[in-house]
């Protein structure tokens, strides 16, 4: 089978890109990657170590312009005879995959967490992660978007060739005025450990406790929506249904009630630890470990305990 994997390498090779290639490798076939972004050829070539046979790159395409990206992938799919197109289920995929699905008349399976089973059915997250479904599509060309952190990328091969590709994407209708990349911060969707807090922390002046624990753990920080809405924390930290959806290995939530809209963005986390003064807080139902206690006491104690390791 010819598999085309799209990756958006805006400024570095994200873990989700490696996962998408590893996913294609597990399905099996000839894997070509089509990439946009500014990452250099040598770095793109390392995708060969995860299973890619070749990388096609078109740096003239603006990742922000989903129409351009759609045209690029459609052309790459045609030139490689792709029967399956794989995306990581990120913001770009959410905008591009449905467009591509219509353009190529290709069935789209969105939010996959496993490779197709013997019947060609793919396990997907449904109802904001509250349940699993099994989906199959019958079209000749198929598209799958893979939920981040569902697959562990493993190196087994060697670097592959990287070729410039003219996607014929045309002029962009989007003008990028400014790009801001927070320095030194771990991007939330890529973080394996996340320390998050909500309105229970009473005010932005108390976030030092959250940052201290995140620092000793090497974790990213996140927050509930009201905290970002009030301006206690930046909006890019807001997780949930209307914010960033994350699936870290560890999610520590302090002073967050666990409303369904918050859970929708975090309940795919491998281990959830909840710290809340209210034993009836709904978050405890989704927690693997719970501490009924005051975040102002528990967070500093946790930080001290981690420091001892
Ligand atoms: P609260 O509900 O006020 O809870 C604070 C918690 O802190 C309580 O459980 C309390 O017991 C606990 N607490 C208080 N003091 C302490 C202490 N000292 N130590 C420990 N615990 C303490 N929310 C999101 O987060 N993300 C979303 O994407 C999102 N999208 C939404 C979309 C829609 C359409 C709607 C209607 C709502 C959305 N919300 C979202 C809001 C959501 O419904 C909740 O209102 C919100 O998550 C509550 O935030 P919170 O838990 O920080 O605050």
């Amino acid at each position: 089978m010819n598999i085309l994997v799209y990756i958006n390498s805006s400024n570095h090779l994200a873990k989700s890109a490696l996962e998408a290639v590893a996913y294609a490798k597990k399905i099996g076939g000839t894997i070509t990657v089509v990439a946009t972004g500014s990452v250099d050829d040598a770095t793109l070539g390392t995708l060969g170590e995860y299973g890619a046979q070749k990388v096609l790159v078109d740096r003239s395409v603006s990742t922000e312009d989903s129409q351009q990206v759609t045209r690029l992938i459609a052309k790459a799919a045609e030139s490689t005879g792709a029967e399956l197109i794989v995306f990581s289920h990120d913001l770009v995929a959410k905008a591009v995959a449905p467009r591509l699905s219509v353009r190529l008349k290709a069935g789209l399976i969105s939010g996959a967490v496993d490779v197709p089973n013997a019947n060609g059915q793919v396990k997907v997250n449904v109802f904001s992660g509250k349940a699993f479904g099994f989906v199959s599509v019958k079209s000749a060309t198929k598209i799958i978007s893979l939920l981040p952190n569902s697959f562990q990328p493993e190196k087994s091969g060697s670097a592959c060739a990287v070729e410039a590709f003219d996607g014929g994407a045309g002029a962009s209708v989007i003008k990028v005025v400014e790009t801001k990349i927070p320095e030194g911060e771990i991007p939330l969707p890529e973080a394996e450990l996340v320390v998050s807090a909500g309105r229970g922390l009473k005010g932005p002046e108390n976030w030092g406790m959250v940052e201290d624990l995140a620092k000793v753990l090497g974790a990213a920080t996140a927050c509930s929506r009201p905290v970002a809405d009030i301006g206690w924390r930046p909006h890019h930290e807001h997780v949930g249904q209307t914010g960033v959806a994350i699936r870290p290995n560890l999610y520590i939530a302090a002073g967050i009630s666990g409303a369904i809209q918050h859970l929708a963005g975090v309940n795919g986390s491998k281990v959830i630890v909840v710290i809340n003064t209210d034993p009836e807080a709904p978050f405890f139902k989704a927690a693997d470990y719970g501490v009924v206690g005051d975040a102002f006491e528990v967070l500093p104690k946790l930080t001290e305990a981690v420091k001892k390791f």
Side-chain angles (χ1 to χ4, degrees), residues 21-73:
V21 175
Y23 179 80
K25 189 183 171 199
K26 178 130 194 226
I27 292 175
T30 304
I31 302 162
T32 307
V33 171
V34 59
T36 54
S38 56
V39 168
D40 60 60
D41 283 4
T43 308
L44 287 176
T46 61
L47 288 169
E49 297 168 12
Y50 297 90
Q53 266 96 25
K54 188 163 61 174
V55 178
L56 306 174
V57 59
D58 186 345
R59 296 195 176 87
S60 70
V61 168
S62 165
T63 302
E64 287 77 12
D65 186 337
S66 35
Q67 293 181 21
Q68 265 198 328
V69 178
T70 304
R71 288 193 288 269
L72 163 71
I73 301 173

Side-chain angles (χ1 to χ4, degrees), residues 199 202 224-225 238-242 255 257 261-262 276 294-295:
R199 250 188 323 213
K202 324 282 187 229
S224 65
R225 174 173 163 171
H238 151 205
V239 289
Q241 185 186 324
T242 46
S257 56
Q261 297 89 354
H262 184 84
N276 200 303
D294 187 341

Side-chain angles (χ1 to χ4, degrees):
M1 177 170 15
N2 289 325
I3 307 178
L4 183 69
V5 179
Y6 169 70
I7 66 155
N8 147 35
S9 56
S10 322
N11 54 0
H12 70 294
L13 213 47
K15 182 169 165 259
S16 56
L18 310 182
E19 290 168 2
V21 175
Y23 179 80
K25 189 183 171 199
K26 178 130 194 226
I27 292 175
T30 304
I31 302 162
T32 307
V33 171
V34 59
T36 54
S38 56
V39 168
D40 60 60
D41 283 4
T43 308
L44 287 176
T46 61
L47 288 169
E49 297 168 12
Y50 297 90
Q53 266 96 25
K54 188 163 61 174
V55 178
L56 306 174
V57 59
D58 186 345
R59 296 195 176 87
S60 70
V61 168
S62 165
T63 302
E64 287 77 12
D65 186 337
S66 35
Q67 293 181 21
Q68 265 198 328
V69 178
T70 304
R71 288 193 288 269
L72 163 71
I73 301 173
K75 191 169 171 197
E78 193 189 353
S79 83
T80 57
E83 297 148 273
L84 173 64
I85 301 168
V86 176
F87 288 84
S88 175
H89 192 69
D90 58 14
L91 287 175
V92 177
K94 284 177 196 168
V96 172
R99 285 189 160 91
L100 197 64
S101 168
V102 173
R103 195 180 178 109
L104 300 180
K105 296 191 171 51
L108 167 61
I109 298 176
S110 186
V113 293
D114 206 347
V115 294
N117 63 20
N119 301 322
Q121 297 166 325
V122 180
K123 190 176 179 184
V124 296
N125 258 9
V126 293
F127 302 126
S128 297
K130 279 195 161 298
F132 291 117
F134 286 87
V135 182
S136 59
V137 291
K138 294 188 174 143
S139 52
T141 309
K142 299 174 177 59
I143 303 174
I144 297 178
S145 73
L146 172 71
L147 272 191
N149 215 11
S150 306
F151 248 78
Q152 209 45 45
E154 278 170 20
K155 283 189 187 182
S156 58
S158 53
C160 67
V162 179
E163 291 173 13
F165 183 74
D166 178 4
S172 176
V173 292
I174 306 273
K175 186 178 171 206
V176 180
V177 180
E178 193 184 7
T179 305
K180 280 190 181 168
I181 302 164
E183 265 177 43
E185 286 179 29
I186 305 166
L188 249 187
E190 286 177 39
E192 302 208 340
L193 311 174
V194 175
V195 183
S196 185
R199 250 188 323 213
L201 259 74
K202 324 282 187 229
E205 66 280 6
N206 298 321
W207 242 261
M209 296 183 290
V210 179
E211 286 167 342
D212 287 347
L213 179 57
K215 198 169 169 199
V216 294
L217 285 171
T221 51
C223 66
S224 65
R225 174 173 163 171
V227 162
D229 284 349
I230 315 163
W232 293 357
R233 297 299 292 175
H235 267 290
H236 68 257
E237 285 197 359
H238 151 205
V239 289
Q241 185 186 324
T242 46
V244 187
I246 54 171
R247 294 165 58 79
N249 292 336
L250 173 66
Y251 184 71
I252 300 177
I256 301 179
S257 56
I260 186 146
Q261 297 89 354
H262 184 84
L263 288 175
V266 302
N267 61 5
S269 308
K270 302 262 161 52
V271 175
I272 297 179
V273 178
V274 169
I275 303 162
N276 200 303
T277 43
D278 176 6
E280 301 298 325
F283 220 150
F284 282 121
K285 291 202 180 107
D288 296 283
Y289 300 94
V291 181
V292 179
D294 187 341
F296 288 75
E297 290 171 18
V298 178
L299 284 174
K301 280 188 184 158
L302 255 181
T303 305
E304 285 313 310
V306 175
K307 272 185 190 164
K308 286 185 188 144
F309 278 100

